[in-house]
Amino acid sequence: MKGGGIGNLTYEQRDELREMFDTVDTQCRGYIPVSKLPEIHQALGLEQPSPDMWVRWKASVDPEGTGKMTYERLEDFVSLRYDEMDQNREILSAFRLFKPEANDIKNAQITFADLKRVSAHLGENIPDDELQEMINIADADNSGSVGFADFMRVMRKSGLF
């Protein structure tokens, strides 16, 4: 986690976060209980993680295990969460290039035909066997197509997002 609390937050986001922190830190001690993290997370409208992820996140804002976190640690944490949300939106937009009509992204699947259509639209002349290989590499469950979770995994692993 980066130090200094600089982050990529806008001034408005920082003001909102500081106000939340100060509301919890009523005695102006300079820290708040780590147990307030889910409450703050939800109030900011951030996506709710799994219970396992909460454990890891709490450890990241309180590596010493004191049960407390400073404003700077909270700001760093929130900045990372906003960055992740932005990345997820970008990956979703990229996925929609292949499946623009999909209403239920979690169940949508990119097929060979989708990949071929988009590559042709982009002016890429990729042989069918290479397109199929792309599907095979990304297809973790061997369904013959690529779901959103597989797509997200490949995009993150490739460093594109």
Side-chain angles (χ1 to χ4, degrees), residues 67-85:
K68 304 169 188 173
M69 76 178 139
T70 63
Y71 173 78
E72 289 75 19
R73 291 250 171 134
L74 177 63
E75 186 178 298
D76 287 347
F77 170 81
V78 169
S79 180
L80 289 171
R81 299 298 73 80
Y82 278 134
D83 288 349
E84 287 174 1
M85 283 179 54

Side-chain angles (χ1 to χ4, degrees), residues 145-160:
S145 57
V146 179
F148 184 66
D150 289 337
F151 185 80
M152 186 176 282
R153 177 183 49 77
V154 169
M155 292 295 104
R156 286 203 169 125
K157 188 174 183 179
S158 69
L160 294 174

Side-chain angles (χ1 to χ4, degrees), residues 15-160:
D15 288 346
E16 180 182 20
L17 189 58
R18 175 50 85 174
E19 187 176 316
M20 284 183 192
F21 185 89
D22 291 346
T23 300
V24 176
D25 184 18
T26 57
Q27 297 180 351
C28 299
R29 294 181 183 166
Y31 62 84
I32 61 174
V34 173
S35 62
K36 295 291 185 179
L37 190 58
E39 218 173 286
I40 292 170
H41 199 264
Q42 185 174 7
L44 292 171
L46 296 168
E47 297 170 6
Q48 295 302 305
S50 68
D52 289 342
M53 188 61 75
W54 273 125
V55 170
R56 286 192 293 246
W57 284 356
K58 286 178 182 178
S60 75
V61 296
D62 181 23
E64 297 85 20
T66 63
K68 304 169 188 173
M69 76 178 139
T70 63
Y71 173 78
E72 289 75 19
R73 291 250 171 134
L74 177 63
E75 186 178 298
D76 287 347
F77 170 81
V78 169
S79 180
L80 289 171
R81 299 298 73 80
Y82 278 134
D83 288 349
E84 287 174 1
M85 283 179 54
D86 290 345
Q87 285 178 350
N88 289 348
R89 278 193 285 273
E90 289 176 22
I91 292 171
L92 177 60
S93 292
F95 188 85
R96 286 200 178 278
L97 291 174
F98 296 94
K99 300 305 279 187
E101 74 288 348
N103 292 324
D104 181 11
I105 290 297
K106 290 189 180 197
N107 292 318
Q109 298 287 316
I110 296 173
T111 63
F112 173 83
D114 296 323
L115 190 56
K116 188 168 180 80
R117 175 182 48 78
V118 171
S119 65
H121 179 76
L122 295 173
E124 298 292 330
N125 191 13
I126 302 172
D128 287 355
D129 60 330
E130 288 183 32
L131 292 173
Q132 187 59 55
E133 184 64 19
M134 289 179 196
I135 295 283
N136 294 345
I137 290 170
D139 181 17
D141 63 0
N142 296 317
S143 64
S145 57
V146 179
F148 184 66
D150 289 337
F151 185 80
M152 186 176 282
R153 177 183 49 77
V154 169
M155 292 295 104
R156 286 203 169 125
K157 188 174 183 179
S158 69
L160 294 174

